Structure formats: structure tokens, C-alpha cells
């Protein structure tokens, strides 16, 4: 198995993984638990219209994602990440996904073109794909929280100050210190 980044399903998965990682998020924040749950209550999930590109104080682009509802923050919350000059650039892969799948503004951000119609990306789809890749390439097991933990370590090893990593990862407590 490999990911074909020109295929609607794989483009959505890879973009979701890159955005989840670099925004220090949890996989469940950018995916839906199931198609059934999404069809019953689509409003708490991120839509394409909730994604914008903003600029930081130096005019550099920032990818911004507004979540209309979070368990710990019912009024919603924003998550951010920056484009990178790297093979894993979240902006490149998000744009690739949007170009291939072209979700409407009111569709889930990671909607992909399934042969039977549009489908929001489920956590199960991403996890299944990751498990297949992990097994095939004999990699360490990856779970949904692995992105949150791995990205934290990534930024800390790059020398990002801890208070900045906490802010990106949206920690309010001191449980990590």
C-alpha cells in the first residue's frame, strides 16, 4: 500500500495528517467519528468555509482553522499552523486536497469524492490507512493522539519555546510541565 496523492481519498487523508500534525491537534478534531454521526449533526464539525489564510505580525501566512464547537470550548476554538519549505508542508497538501476534491464551502473541510458521492473524512478511514502503512513498513504503532504528542516533541526539538508550543497545542493547564 502507498498513498496516491492524486487520488481523492488519499489526498484528503494526507492533507488531514499534515494539518493535524503541524497544528498540534488530535486526529478526531479534523475528522468525523462516523458518517452516521456526521449526517445526524454536521454543525459541530469544521467546514471548508472555516479555513482561512491569515498573516502573522511579519506578514507571513498562517493557516487558520475555526472549529465551531469543542468539548472543552463550546463557543468554538481556532487552530493554526504555518506553511513550511518542506516536503510535508501542510499548505501544499491542503491545497492539493482542495484542488482534487473541491469541497463546497459548507462541506466538511476534508470531504473527499467517494465513488458513491461526497464523504467527510472519518477518523476510522485515517486510522485504517495508517494501520496498513504501519504494518506494511514495520513502523511503530500510530494512534490519533500520536500527532499531538509527536508534533509537541517536533516543535520542542526544533527549539520552539515551551510557552509557544503550549499555545499552539492549546494547553491551558500545567500537566505537561
Amino acid at each position: 500500500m502507498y498513498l496516491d496523492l492524486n487520488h481523492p481519498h488519499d489526498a484528503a487523508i494526507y492533507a488531514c495528517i499534515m494539518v493535524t500534525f503541524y497544528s498540534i491537534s488530535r486526529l478526531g478534531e479534523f475528522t468525523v467519528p462516523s458518517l452516521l454521526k456526521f449526517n445526524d449533526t454536521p454543525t459541530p464539525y469544521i467546514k471548508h468555509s472555516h479555513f482561512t489564510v491569515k498573516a502573522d505580525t511579519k506578514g507571513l501566512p498562517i493557516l487558520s482553522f475555526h472549529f465551531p464547537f469543542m468539548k472543552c470550548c463550546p463557543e468554538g476554538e481556532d487552530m493554526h499552523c504555518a506553511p513550511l519549505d518542506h516536503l510535508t508542508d501542510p499548505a501544499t497538501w491542503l491545497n492539493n486536497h482542495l484542488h482534487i476534491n473541491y469541497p463546497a464551502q459548507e462541506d466538511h473541510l476534508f470531504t473527499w469524492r467517494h465513488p458513491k458521492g461526497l464523504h467527510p473524512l472519518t477518523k476510522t478511514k485515517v486510522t485504517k490507512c495508517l494501520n496498513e502503512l504501519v504494518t506494511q513498513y514495520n513502523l511503530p504503532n500510530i494512534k490519533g493522539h500520536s500527532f499531538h504528542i509527536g508534533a509537541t516533541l517536533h516543535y520542542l526539538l526544533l527549539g520552539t519555546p515551551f510557552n509557544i508550543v503550549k499555545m499552539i497545542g492549546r494547553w491551558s493547564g500545567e500537566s505537561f510541565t
Side-chain angles (χ1 to χ4, degrees):
M1 177 194 184
Y2 67 95
L3 291 176
D4 176 357
L5 300 178
N6 292 310
H7 184 275
H9 172 262
D10 293 355
I13 287 177
Y14 194 70
C16 181
I17 288 170
M18 292 303 105
V19 167
T20 299
F21 182 83
Y22 286 111
S23 64
I24 312 182
S25 298
R26 293 163 194 84
L27 188 55
E29 292 171 329
F30 278 100
T31 58
V32 300
S34 71
L35 291 178
L36 183 62
K37 284 188 180 180
F38 178 78
N39 291 334
D40 287 344
T41 57
T43 51
Y45 302 106
I46 188 166
K47 298 176 184 178
H48 182 195
S49 61
H50 296 148
F51 161 65
T52 57
V53 178
K54 297 181 178 179
D56 70 6
T57 56
K58 295 180 181 176
L60 298 172
I62 298 291
L63 308 180
S64 182
F65 307 91
H66 177 71
F67 288 78
F69 176 85
M70 302 291 282
K71 236 184 335 188
C72 298
C73 192
E75 67 277 0
E77 191 169 27
D78 292 337
M79 296 177 201
H80 306 88
C81 62
L84 303 168
D85 185 19
H86 191 270
L87 180 64
T88 60
D89 172 31
T92 296
W93 298 113
L94 180 56
N95 286 331
N96 180 66
H97 154 66
L98 296 174
H99 175 76
I100 290 169
N101 289 301
Y102 45 97
Q105 288 294 305
E106 293 308 306
D107 287 339
H108 184 272
L109 178 61
F110 292 106
T111 293
W112 62 283
R113 299 210 170 266
H114 185 277
K116 294 182 180 178
L118 296 175
H119 284 212
L121 189 60
T122 63
K123 185 176 179 181
T124 305
K125 279 277 186 200
V126 178
T127 304
K128 181 181 177 202
C129 178
L130 285 171
N131 288 339
E132 289 173 6
L133 291 168
V134 161
T135 300
Q136 181 176 351
Y137 294 103
N138 197 28
L139 299 170
N141 196 5
I142 299 172
K143 301 284 184 207
H145 276 70
S146 298
F147 297 110
H148 201 247
I149 296 162
T152 299
L153 183 59
H154 167 77
Y155 283 113
L156 291 173
L157 290 174
L158 285 176
T160 306
F162 182 70
N163 63 322
I164 301 298
V165 174
K166 267 182 68 173
M167 182 183 67
I168 297 169
R170 301 166 326 279
W171 281 293
S172 57
E174 299 298 324
S175 60
F176 197 87
T177 57

